[in-house]
């Protein structure tokens, strides 16, 4: 079982244009779609497409359009009733793959919502192999929210001898919540930054898509700070998997990108899928880049199934050990 936690989910509306976006002018869309989204939700959707057991934990009343959409997709959920409504985000995609996103801040959560959401996560984490904490935080939750969830999960596992081992924890976030996690020193099993987020976490210039060696060196600094593995996605330049022992890089043949929305989430799902199948680190990375490439070739925030992916096409190489900057 893989539990995903999306504190600030969204109902994503994607508008596809048949020409480049012309700001200030009236344009007609070629197509549009609406899908439930948010990083953790997308991971669960991709895992469902791969036949894995998962449940998406998120705030939202059962009648919220977001929860209704997830039920329609047969995605198992554990929703926390709140006073507000789950936000809506708008994505505009252009024929060359350029993607523009407009994200709402999300509903205001209360201190009671904060505590109840952590309790809900802990209750499901007791039977999980992985817990994925993903995405931004809505108004009302403090920057250390993810730190407090991790501490609560580990405390519950220590107190409940019948629950078995503590689940492994993966985090995919950015901004202040991610910096708070790194600075806390709690340590997690996996983080999944993109190039921009890797620069943000390390305080280094964002040139990582053009310089994978520099990205590997930056990721190694996060390993030294308690992240056991760093899955760094570098857009069309592939991805890195950096641990205390090895550094791997994987690339995929170019794809015709329709939408990059959710490609990073699909990469994380691909990694977890391969991990659950007992794959070696380099094959987990291959499945991650294959999932990411497949997602980019699909419209909107559609998540790929394993049949959509070609991990054997990935070029996976063991890199020489970088020197952390």
């Amino acid at each position: 079982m893989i539990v995903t936690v999306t504190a600030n989910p969204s109902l994503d509306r994607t508008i596809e244009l048949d020409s480049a976006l012309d700001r200030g002018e009236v344009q007609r869309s070629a197509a549009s779609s609406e899908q439930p989204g948010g990083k953790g939700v997308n991971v669960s959707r991709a895992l469902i497409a791969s036949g894995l057991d998962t449940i998406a934990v998120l705030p939202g009343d059962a009648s919220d359009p977001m929860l209704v959409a997830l039920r329609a997709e047969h995605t198992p959920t554990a929703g926390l009733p709140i006073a507000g409504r789950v936000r809506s985000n708008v994505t505009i995609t252009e024929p060359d793959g350029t993607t523009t996103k407009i994200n709402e801040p999300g509903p205001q959560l209360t201190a009671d919502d904060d505590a109840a959401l952590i309790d809900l996560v802990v209750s499901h984490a007791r039977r999980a192999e992985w817990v994925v904490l993903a995405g931004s935080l809505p108004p009302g939750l403090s920057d250390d929210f993810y730190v407090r969830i991790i501490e609560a999960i580990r405390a519950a596992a220590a107190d409940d001898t019948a629950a078995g081992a503590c689940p492994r924890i993966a985090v995919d976030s950015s901004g202040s919540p991610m910096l708070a996690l790194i600075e806390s020193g709690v340590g997690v099993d996996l983080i999944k930054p993109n190039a921009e987020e890797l620069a943000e976490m390390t305080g280094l210039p964002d040139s990582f898509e053009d310089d994978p060696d520099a990205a590997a060196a930056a990721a190694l600094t996060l390993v030294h700070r308690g992240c056991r593995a760093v899955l760094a996605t570098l857009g069309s330049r592939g991805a890195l998997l950096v641990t205390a022992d090895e550094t791997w890089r994987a690339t995929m043949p170019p794809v015709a990108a329709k939408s990059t929305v959710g490609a990073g989430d699909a990469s994380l799902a691909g990694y977890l899928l391969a991990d659950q199948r007992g794959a070696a680190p380099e094959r987990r990375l291959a499945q991650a880049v294959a999932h990411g490439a497949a997602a980019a070739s699909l419209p909107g925030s559609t998540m790929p199934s394993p049949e959509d992916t070609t991990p054997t096409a990935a070029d996976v190489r063991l890199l020489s050990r970088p020197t952390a900057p």
Side-chain angles (χ1 to χ4, degrees), residues 16-316:
E16 299 178 42
L17 301 180
D18 56 11
S19 60
L21 176 65
D22 192 1
R23 292 183 61 193
E25 299 299 326
V26 175
Q27 285 181 261
R28 294 188 182 277
S29 64
S32 66
S33 60
E34 192 170 68
Q35 296 168 305
K39 285 182 175 292
V41 166
N42 285 339
V43 171
S44 277
R45 291 171 63 224
L47 294 173
I48 288 291
S50 300
L52 292 188
D53 288 334
T54 181
I55 188 167
V57 179
L58 67 162
D61 189 82
S63 62
D64 191 290
M66 174 72 179
L67 277 293
V68 172
L70 284 171
R71 286 197 300 274
E73 289 192 352
H74 307 291
T75 300
T77 61
L80 175 73
I82 58 174
R85 174 174 166 167
V86 170
R87 63 181 175 156
S88 295
N89 293 338
V90 176
T91 299
I92 300 172
T93 63
E94 301 174 53
D96 65 354
T98 300
T99 300
T100 303
K101 292 198 70 176
I102 303 171
N103 292 349
E104 293 184 350
Q108 179 80 30
L109 299 192
T110 67
D112 287 343
D113 293 331
D114 180 312
L117 187 55
I118 291 177
D119 287 345
L120 185 61
V121 173
V122 170
S123 69
H124 288 281
R126 287 191 170 92
R127 56 193 181 94
E129 297 174 70
W130 280 94
V131 174
V132 178
L133 310 176
S136 64
L137 299 180
L141 298 187
S142 61
D143 291 342
D144 67 346
F145 181 70
Y146 287 146
V147 176
R148 291 186 287 114
I149 285 183
I150 293 166
E151 291 174 339
I153 289 172
R154 290 174 177 166
D159 291 341
D160 188 358
T161 56
C166 184
R168 287 175 288 171
I169 295 173
V171 184
D172 181 6
S173 187
S174 60
S176 298
M178 199 68 197
L179 292 175
L181 175 71
I182 299 297
E183 292 168 4
S184 73
V186 296
V188 294
D189 298 280
L190 179 69
I191 61 172
K192 196 227 69 65
N194 60 25
E196 180 181 353
E197 292 160 351
L198 183 59
E200 181 182 61
M201 289 179 214
T202 57
L204 297 169
D206 181 11
S207 59
F208 295 140
E209 287 195 13
D210 297 323
D211 192 350
D213 289 336
L220 187 58
T221 68
L222 299 176
V223 173
H224 291 163
R225 298 184 68 179
C227 302
R228 295 181 183 88
V230 179
L231 174 62
T233 52
L234 306 178
S236 62
R237 302 299 295 273
L240 299 168
L241 179 61
V242 181
T243 69
D245 302 315
E246 297 174 324
T247 298
W248 295 90
R249 182 187 178 197
T251 57
M252 287 289 291
V255 300
K258 290 186 177 179
S259 171
T260 59
V261 177
D265 310 329
S267 294
L268 177 53
Y271 180 94
L272 296 173
L273 169 64
D275 172 83
Q276 293 299 93
R277 291 177 172 175
E282 65 271 23
R283 300 321 305 167
R284 291 179 228 154
L285 181 59
Q287 190 65 61
V289 295
H291 255 74
S297 69
L298 296 171
S301 58
T302 303
M303 290 291 106
S305 68
E307 291 71 26
D308 297 317
T309 71
T310 54
T312 55
D315 180 8
V316 186

